[in-house]
Amino acid sequence: MEFNFLGRAFKGDKVIWCIFIALCIISLLEVFSATSTIAYRQQSHWAPILRHAAFLLIGFAVVMFLQRVPTRFFSTLLLGLPISAILLIFTMFMGQDVNGAQRWLGVGAFTIQPSEFAKISAIGFIAFFLSKMKPENESWIFKTLIIGIGAICALIAPENLSTACLLFGVSVMMLWIGQVKFKRLLKVGLSGAALVGLVLLCITLLPDKVVKDYFPDRLTTWKNRIERHSGEQEGTSIHDRKEDGTIAYKITDDNYQVSHAKIAIANGGVIGLPGSGVERDFLPQAYSDFIFAIVLEEMGLLGGLFVLLLYVALMIRCGVLASKCEKKFPRYLILGAGLILTIQALANMAVAVNLIPVTGQPLPLVSRGGTSTIITCAYFGIILACSSKLNDSDHEDVDESIANVDFETFDEANRI
């Protein structure tokens, strides 16, 4: 009886549910430990974790709601793209400046991050048009996708380049999975590579004064991060040679985050220091951007591998579920959600172990956050909803009220 009740309450794939619950538990444990500096400032031991738990609870409610939504209604994510674009434009001019970036928009006593809404809307946008693509309308659908994704990435990039690159990369992967002609994807890839190359050229070759005076403020930040990561920034050597010939590692303002992340990883060893980590008191953003370093310190290499395997398992399971979908729209939704969660997680982990420059990407569902936590839960809800109706007659491609469009007529008009 209890099993039947749980089966009715928790719909969708049970493996996805297990991954979701495991990540939530890890998040509560690690955020509770990593927010010691916030607890000290607020003079409340429980306030930071209660706030995070509240957002996880809201996210859980979102998952419970979305898992019961017929997948055809997710086509309404199309409407989210223009709304997200408007919010991103507002954020450029009226956003709240946090750590040198205007990524948040204040709504009363709350703040939201429009780029998170833009990402999930873009996944729905791509999935919708890929599900309607046929050989006779591929041309104009491809153009529509590139214009839509290009515009939203261009709006995100000035204040959050890493998110724009992440979204663009996932979008190209979805187009490839959606069997868009390789020639078209090659053109997009080369154009994107040329643009990124031009930006990198400007960042690395132009003098600091020129970049500061004539380019957006964030470009200076990107320049410093890239040079800091490559070790080419003048006057920031991290090693000092002592009189006896030994070499000492020097922590400076420029390598402070990365250095303490490395110390946290070294402290953790193989089995970790559960509840006894010390770098949470020194590492900036220990509860968000660098939470994986805290995971490695307190859970050790084994715990870090377990967290990594959870995201890998998520992507593999999404691939299995997508292969079982008879309809294209839910198939692409599952793959898009799985890709963006997994690649974002890998980016966060790569920053923590100093494989790539600091990006500011949170670890999905584990890092402390409001908008990001709820939107991540929404991805899980969408995956569960699609997996719960794989063989259901209600499992349609799109809502007819939105998608009853004569694509062949549009294609003919476009050719004319």
Side-chain angles (χ1 to χ4, degrees):
M1 191 63 145
E2 291 182 2
F3 180 79
N4 291 335
F5 171 76
L6 291 176
R8 289 194 300 270
F10 298 92
K11 294 181 175 294
D13 186 71
K14 299 302 182 285
V15 174
I16 298 295
W17 267 115
C18 289
I19 294 172
F20 174 75
I21 293 172
L23 288 174
C24 286
I25 293 172
I26 292 170
S27 179
L28 287 171
L29 292 174
E30 296 307 318
V31 170
F32 179 69
S33 178
T35 51
S36 58
T37 54
I38 298 179
Y40 178 78
R41 289 198 304 267
Q42 296 182 352
Q43 298 182 350
S44 173
H45 190 66
W46 295 101
I49 188 59
L50 288 177
R51 177 188 180 277
H52 182 62
F55 279 114
L56 280 178
L57 190 60
I58 294 171
F60 182 77
V62 170
V63 174
M64 294 297 289
F65 170 75
L66 289 179
Q67 67 168 344
R68 298 177 177 274
V69 175
T71 54
R72 66 182 186 274
F73 290 114
F74 291 129
S75 59
T76 55
L77 287 171
L78 270 174
L79 304 177
L81 205 67
I83 294 173
S84 298
I86 294 171
L87 291 175
L88 286 167
I89 293 172
F90 275 122
T91 305
M92 285 183 183
F93 299 98
M94 298 182 294
Q96 296 184 3
D97 193 314
V98 179
N99 295 327
Q102 290 187 195
R103 300 176 183 174
W104 288 265
L105 190 63
V107 180
F110 301 95
T111 57
I112 61 173
Q113 195 169 359
S115 59
E116 292 294 333
F117 291 104
K119 286 194 297 183
I120 194 170
S121 299
I123 296 300
F125 176 80
I126 298 170
F128 173 84
F129 279 102
L130 285 180
S131 70
K132 305 306 296 182
M133 190 173 68
K134 299 175 183 178
E136 58 269 21
N137 61 28
E138 179 182 348
S139 177
W140 81 264
I141 284 184
F142 176 76
K143 292 176 183 177
T144 301
L145 287 170
I146 293 302
I147 291 172
I149 298 305
I152 209 71
C153 288
L155 290 173
I156 295 173
E159 297 296 334
N160 201 341
L161 180 62
S162 61
T163 296
C165 292
L166 170 67
L167 179 57
F168 184 79
V170 170
S171 300
V172 172
M173 289 182 187
M174 289 184 68
L175 294 179
W176 179 68
I177 293 171
Q179 299 181 341
V180 172
K181 290 181 180 178
F182 179 75
K183 184 178 179 180
R184 297 182 189 276
L185 292 179
L186 184 60
K187 290 180 179 178
V188 173
L190 291 176
S191 299
L195 181 61
V196 171
L198 181 62
V199 173
L200 290 176
L201 195 64
C202 291
I203 290 175
T204 54
L205 296 183
L206 292 177
D208 290 341
K209 188 177 186 306
V210 174
V211 174
K212 185 176 181 180
D213 292 343
Y214 298 101
F215 288 86
D217 293 339
R218 291 297 297 172
L219 194 62
T220 304
T221 303
W222 304 337
K223 177 181 173 68
N224 292 337
R225 285 180 177 177
I226 292 173
E227 291 180 341
R228 192 180 306 142
H229 180 75
S230 61
E232 295 175 355
Q233 193 171 19
E234 295 182 3
T236 58
S237 174
I238 60 175
H239 296 98
D240 281 339
R241 184 175 295 277
K242 296 183 178 180
E243 295 180 357
D244 59 0
T246 60
I247 297 176
Y249 186 85
K250 180 174 65 175
I251 298 179
T252 66
D253 290 341
D254 294 321
N255 63 24
Y256 188 84
Q257 288 179 307
V258 172
S259 298
H260 281 284
K262 290 179 178 179
I263 294 171
I265 295 169
N267 288 342
V270 177
I271 60 175
L273 305 169
S276 302
V278 296
E279 288 305 310
R280 60 193 178 187
D281 296 327
F282 300 96
L283 186 60
Q285 305 299 320
Y287 44 82
S288 56
D289 298 356
F290 282 89
I291 197 166
F292 189 63
I294 302 303
V295 169
L296 289 170
E297 182 178 31
E298 300 201 348
M299 298 175 62
L301 178 62
L302 294 178
L305 287 174
F306 176 70
V307 173
L308 172 61
L309 289 175
L310 284 176
Y311 290 105
V312 174
L314 172 65
M315 188 66 255
I316 293 174
R317 191 58 183 171
C318 284
V320 172
L321 294 173
S323 67
K324 296 180 180 179
C325 287
E326 297 179 0
K327 302 295 183 178
K328 292 182 178 180
F329 182 59
R331 181 191 308 162
Y332 295 135
L333 275 179
I334 291 175
L335 288 173
L339 278 170
I340 203 160
L341 289 175
T342 305
I343 294 176
Q344 182 176 321
L346 293 177
N348 177 278
M349 295 175 187
V351 168
V353 298
N354 199 30
L355 288 178
I356 61 175
V358 177
T359 63
Q361 291 297 320
L363 189 59
L365 207 61
V366 176
S367 293
R368 180 179 183 266
T371 307
S372 62
T373 297
I374 295 172
I375 296 298
T376 300
C377 290
Y379 287 120
F380 275 94
I382 289 172
I383 295 170
L384 290 167
C386 294
S387 68
S388 67
K389 299 179 177 64
L390 289 177
N391 300 311
D392 197 302
S393 60
D394 191 36
H395 187 58
E396 303 172 11
D397 267 353
V398 289
D399 189 346
E400 294 299 327
S401 63
I402 294 177
N404 190 17
V405 180
D406 188 347
F407 292 102
E408 294 183 7
T409 302
F410 277 2
D411 189 51
E412 290 296 330
N414 184 58
R415 284 200 290 264
I416 293 173

